[in-house]
Structure formats: structure tokens, C-alpha cells
Amino acid sequence: MGKQTTEMLKGTLEGIVLAILAVSPAYGYEITARLRDEGFSDIAEGTVYALLVRIEQRGLVDVEKVPSEKGPPRKVYTINAQGGAYLEEFWRTWSFLAERIEQLHQRIERTNEEGE
Amino acid sequence: MAAKWYELITGSLDDKKAYRQYKARIAALPEPYGTAAKAFERYFMYNGGITDGDSAVMITMLHDFADLWERAAVDQTPVEDIVGDDPVEFAEAFAAAYAGKRWIDKERNRLTETIQNLERKEER
């Protein structure tokens, strides 16, 4: 993933992670793995970790600590009602943006074709 | 602010204990995780943008930070998978997640208020 992808992802990653959690609860490393399955191949585990801390502090997810055989307990993240509301707004915002950008793209393409 | 860290070490007994526990966890990390964790810790200490005025938030952050590296060590996750390709960006993103009160907040509010007051004067 290039620099531009990373930059663009910044604003949307919270929504993407919440969308993944809306499918089913998950551990941190599972979330990273699922992101990779979805084609977000270069996302650092630490980035996801920091994001999970952020959405936890903002009350968008419920967190349960599960003891682990080795090392610190693993945290399971579940989307809650507040997170659900955030996700709904995220989809609306996303549709709006995607539509606007695509329209702009089409208009410029047409202008270029007419100019040739 | 580095001063805050100093207070953790010299502050309340509970903070001191929690800080010492954290230090012990970092010290116990196998390589290369120990070196990586200490490098970030150093950056946190010298970077003024890290939480200020709330030692509880900072203690939480440090222990979460220790969790992250212990987990990585147990799972044998490569350091680059944790950090990504920009260590500074990772450090900033990690610290930003613990949005306690920051010393810069006061200045931000001041700037905002000053500009808002200007706008109000113009409306008259």
C-alpha cells in the first residue's frame, strides 16, 4: 500500500474496524488478520492496537479480558449501541464522499474527452 | 512533558509502584522487543505531546504498552508488523489514543477564543 492509501485510510479505519466488529466480536490480532483478508495488507498491528484503545476510550466498544496461557490477557472487542450509531453515521458519510468524488471524477473525464 | 514522568517516579506511592511494575515488565522483554519498547519509551519521554496532568492515564498507557510488547513476544510477532513502516507515526498514534489533558490544550483553547472574540467584534 502506498503513502496515499495510508493517508486516505486514516480517516476511515475506525469505521472499517467497527464494521469488522459488527460481523462478530474479535481479539486485536484477529482484527488485523481480517483487515489483511479484506485486502488491507500493510496495516501495522500497532496501528490497529492504538485504534482499538481509542474506540474503547470513546465508548464505542465493550471490552472483555480473557486470560491467556502465556503473556498478558487477550482483549475481546464487541461493538456496542454507541459504536453501532457511529457505524451508521460512518456509512452515510462514506456514501456521500464516495458519490461526490466519483461525480467529480466523471465530470473531469468527460471534459477531457470533449477537449480531445 | 518530561516533568510528568519525573512526577510518576516521585509522586504518589501507588503511581510509583505502578511505574516500577511497568519498568520491570519492559526490562523482562526478550530481544528484539526490549530494545524496541525502550526506544519508544524514550521518545514518549522526550515528546511533550504525551499526556500531561493525569498520571492515571499515563500509567494506563504504559501498562497497555507493556501488554502490546509482551503479547508480541509471546506470539513471536515481528517488530515491523507491530510498528509498520514509520516508527514515529506509530508512536504518535499510540500516544494520541490516550487523550488525557495535554498542556497544549490550554493554548489551543486560548487561540480559539481569541479568534472567536475577533469575529464577534466584527459582527457588531
Side-chain angles (χ1 to χ4, degrees), chain B residues 71-91:
Chain B
R71 195 71 266 163
V74 169
D75 299 340
Q76 299 276 295
T77 312
V79 170
E80 66 195 79
D81 282 6
I82 298 290
V83 177
D85 40 19
D86 188 346
V88 173
E89 191 153 316
F90 168 66

Side-chain angles (χ1 to χ4, degrees), chain B residues 89-123:
Chain B
E89 191 153 316
F90 168 66
E92 296 286 343
F94 187 86
Y98 299 86
K101 281 207 83 59
R102 294 162 183 231
W103 64 274
I104 193 76
D105 287 348
K106 214 163 68 183
E107 291 304 323
R108 284 175 177 161
N109 291 339
R110 191 172 164 167
L111 173 61
T112 307
E113 269 172 37
T114 306
I115 300 301
Q116 274 175 346
N117 287 339
L118 282 181
E119 285 167 5
R120 271 190 220 112
K121 277 192 191 126
E122 281 167 9
E123 281 166 14

Side-chain angles (χ1 to χ4, degrees), chain A residues 1 3 6-7 10 29 36 42-47 49-51 53-54 56-57 65 68 70-75, chain B residues 25 60 63-68 70-71 74-75 77 80-86 89-90 93-94 96-99:
Chain A
M1 289 193 312
K3 188 99 192 107
T6 313
E7 283 299 313
K10 264 185 204 161
Y29 71 94
R36 291 192 176 141
D42 282 354
I43 289 179
E45 193 131 1
T47 308
Y49 188 91
L51 186 145
V53 169
R54 204 161 59 231
E56 179 185 352
Q57 301 237 345
K65 280 193 171 179
S68 152
K70 275 179 81 182
R74 293 184 185 278
K75 284 173 157 184
Chain B
R25 291 176 71 186
T60 305
H63 279 275
D64 281 357
F65 186 70
D67 279 350
L68 174 70
E70 281 175 0
R71 195 71 266 163
V74 169
D75 299 340
T77 312
E80 66 195 79
D81 282 6
I82 298 290
V83 177
D85 40 19
D86 188 346
E89 191 153 316
F90 168 66
F94 187 86
Y98 299 86

